Amino acid sequence: MSVLDIKNVTKSFSTTKAVDDFTLTVGDGELVCLLGPSGSGKSTLLRMIGGFETPTSGVITIDGEDVTRVPPEKRPTGMVFQSHALWTHMNVFKNLAFGLKLRGLPADEIKRRVEAVLELVGLGGYGHRQTTQLSGGQQQRVALARSLVLEPKILLLDEPFASLDQHLRERLREEVRDIQQRLKITTLFVTHGQDEALALADRIVVMRDGRTEQAARPDVVYREPATPFVAGFIGTMNLVDGTVANGRFAHSGFTVPLPVGDGAATLAVRPEALEIVPASGAGMAKIHRVTDYGTHAIVDIELPGGVRLKSMTREARDWSAGQSIDLKPRAFAAYRDNAAIHRSN
Amino acid sequence: MTTTPAIDIVGTKKSGRPIGLLLVAAPVLLVCWMVIWPIISAIARTVWLPNEGSGRSFSLETYAFFFSDQYSINNLTVTLWTTGVTALLLLLICLPIALYLRFAKGRLAAYVQGLAIFPMFVPSIILSYAVIRVLGPNGTVDLLLNSVGLPHIRSPYLTPWGPVIGLVWDNIPLTVLILLSGLGNVSNQSIEAARDVGAGRFALLWHIILPRISNSILVAVSFTVLGIFSAFTLPYVLGPAAPEMMGPFMQRTFRDLNDPTNAITQAVIAFAFCIVFGLFYVRSVAKNRAP
């Protein structure tokens, strides 16, 4: 059953469209990541779901009820902001109790719920602390608890870990996933970090210029990107523009069999799927640099036209800069007119 | 490459210490000469009075006179009343303006801000005459009411409300600017977070915005009180002859009655009230600066 329905929503700021005819349905208990570069409209979309922006056109329904023009204080949503936005003049307990007090709950019920949710986010016994005494990670947990304590139907997270360091971000990410699965709460998570989206989401919606580029399971988005943009945005991807003639794709000496009609095409190959072998003749490309990461090595390759590619190999010592090589893509996709025309797996 | 040590301008080294002290010495000496010394001198002159012999002795006679004289007490009361009413009206008028300027966007907000700051550039004497011309007997308001057949207003000119209107008008810019700077510390996201948990406009103002700008309100009130106690032109031109505010009272005692000792006593009493608010301000600044 769908909890959230976004139908043909557009949001314009003067002449620019931040969100453009966007449609999405989110199921009960689903965790959807809105992923895209800065300016792709993902935060604006989240703010419209939260009620902080009003769509220029389109309809947003929560549990079948039209909330398009309902203010945030009357929506069954809870938002966690990037800068956690805690009220520094209140201690942790009061930050969490504020929303419950506004709902007129009795004091003992408020105490019980606040303490329970503080335990849930791993901050049991922190109620009396001032928010300014907490670390960045703890502050973000309080912000999460403040939303969860009201038991919203939809939890909205707007790049909540952007200001935290990598290690803490990974830990909190796992905790959020655990809590979300335990509470079975429908969640929308905005991020521009693809690893965050891949690790967290039941479904990723890749956005660009206010539109959906692809909405699918993380593994599908990674393995079968729908457009060259998604291919380039998720993970590392080698993208080579070339032409197809007589069933072969070619770009300055680099050729691959490609059984599609003649014309321009973009070839997309993941570094781990781009095998390199010592050149049998003149070679398709030359090695520019070899970087050893211990567990694997990344070989930077330069095609005669100047295009750079990356290949992931096990052994760094097999390769050296300046060496002539041939390229053998094991799996690749080809795009034409912003759509996939071929996949080889 | 060789490195040379940076010049030690704050004088952490023993040899550089006199330079740092010399830098602050000039302003400190100036404050002592122009502020501290006149305060000490004024207090001394009111408690160290000429006695019946040829010398001077300690006496609280002038203070006893001030607090036993009904006219002096009336003047102090009207000054405190004007201060309280003006401060209250200023907050009631300026808080909505500051809130509007903080949260509104666009050109209209810029015009409103310009209009709110405008009184800062109008000298008190011009403002006084403007108030007389508009609200005084046969002023603009009277003429307009008369033209549509309505009766005269009871003009606030030469009543205690005259200085209140003038002082409110005069203090709007500073109060708006102080409140606006306080509201600058209230982030949009903390307001959105409050709306998200269900806070309506009133709850937002009462539980989130006001506690965050309480310091600024205190500073604004302190500045207003200090300004009103030392106000002269507006109470002198717009206020009643009796009771009068402390500013005109001091001037009249000093010049018309040629009684400097009692004039200084009035000044010390006014100063005692101001210093309470001055300490509020200093405490607020110190609290904000504390790490």
Side-chain angles (χ1 to χ4, degrees), chain A residues 248-320:
Chain A
R248 272 195 100 74
F249 170 90
H251 172 101
S252 328
F254 169 40
T255 66
V256 183
L258 189 59
V260 296
D262 290 0
T266 302
L267 196 77
V269 194
R270 296 264 179 222
E272 61 268 28
L274 182 61
E275 195 182 333
I276 52 175
V277 293
S280 54
M284 289 181 186
K286 273 200 163 63
I287 291 176
H288 175 70
R289 186 191 300 124
V290 181
T291 313
D292 193 350
Y293 289 96
T295 54
H296 64 279
I298 294 291
V299 180
D300 282 279
I301 302 154
E302 189 169 324
L303 295 177
V307 171
R308 291 268 176 91
L309 305 177
K310 285 182 192 299
S311 169
M312 189 195 282
T313 67
R314 275 244 177 104
E315 287 293 337
R317 69 188 102 172
D318 295 345
W319 311 100
S320 57

Side-chain angles (χ1 to χ4, degrees), chain B residues 7-283:
Chain B
I7 299 167
D8 185 22
I9 58 164
V10 288
T12 46
K13 275 188 196 167
K14 210 171 181 181
S15 60
R17 205 166 280 164
I19 297 170
L21 289 176
L22 274 175
L23 281 170
V24 293
V28 166
L29 285 174
L30 208 60
V31 166
C32 288
W33 180 38
M34 306 291 282
V35 180
I36 308 291
W37 170 244
I39 292 170
I40 295 168
S41 156
I43 294 170
R45 283 176 68 181
T46 55
V47 295
W48 198 250
L49 300 171
N51 55 22
E52 283 169 10
S54 55
R56 283 172 173 268
S57 61
F58 177 78
S59 165
L60 293 173
E61 193 186 307
T62 57
Y63 292 94
F65 171 74
F66 185 94
F67 287 108
S68 62
D69 176 38
Q70 194 54 46
Y71 184 65
S72 301
I73 290 174
N74 286 351
N75 289 345
L76 181 63
T77 310
V78 84
T79 308
L80 289 171
W81 178 86
T82 308
T83 307
V85 172
T86 307
L88 188 69
L89 285 176
L90 270 171
L91 283 182
L92 290 177
I93 293 168
C94 296
L95 195 59
I97 296 175
L99 285 169
Y100 171 76
L101 293 176
R102 165 67 180 80
F103 297 108
K105 289 168 193 155
R107 194 168 286 184
L108 184 65
Y111 287 131
V112 171
Q113 179 153 9
L115 211 58
I117 306 304
F118 175 69
M120 199 174 248
F121 305 102
V122 181
S124 307
I125 190 75
I126 292 176
L127 161 63
S128 305
Y129 283 103
V131 172
I132 294 171
R133 290 303 308 132
V134 174
L135 292 172
N138 301 322
T140 314
V141 174
D142 257 358
L143 294 176
L144 287 172
L145 290 173
N146 191 42
S147 68
V148 291
L150 289 168
H152 282 275
I153 54 160
R154 278 187 64 199
S155 172
Y157 176 49
L158 300 183
T159 74
W161 287 101
V164 168
I165 293 170
L167 288 165
V168 165
W169 203 84
D170 204 30
N171 279 291
I172 282 176
L174 189 65
T175 312
V176 166
L177 286 176
I178 293 170
L179 292 179
L180 205 52
S181 82
L183 284 168
N185 294 329
V186 185
S187 74
N188 284 345
Q189 288 203 341
S190 72
I191 285 169
E192 288 180 345
R195 292 188 69 196
D196 195 51
V197 300
R201 280 169 196 270
F202 179 75
L204 204 58
L205 182 68
W206 190 252
H207 294 290
I208 305 297
I209 295 174
L210 285 182
R212 297 282 285 124
I213 63 163
S214 58
N215 236 10
S216 297
I217 291 174
L218 192 66
V219 170
V221 169
S222 304
F223 271 42
T224 312
V225 169
L226 298 177
I228 294 169
F229 255 88
S230 59
F232 176 76
T233 313
L234 290 163
Y236 185 74
V237 180
L238 299 173
E244 58 193 335
M245 282 179 66
M246 293 303 280
F249 183 36
M250 277 178 239
Q251 197 269 351
R252 215 170 44 74
T253 310
F254 185 79
R255 183 155 291 176
D256 299 356
L257 304 181
N258 198 17
D259 184 358
T261 309
N262 272 319
I264 295 169
T265 306
Q266 292 155 15
V268 172
I269 290 166
F271 171 73
F273 279 95
C274 288
I275 205 163
V276 174
F277 284 91
L279 288 175
F280 270 133
Y281 170 72
V282 170
R283 189 171 153 265

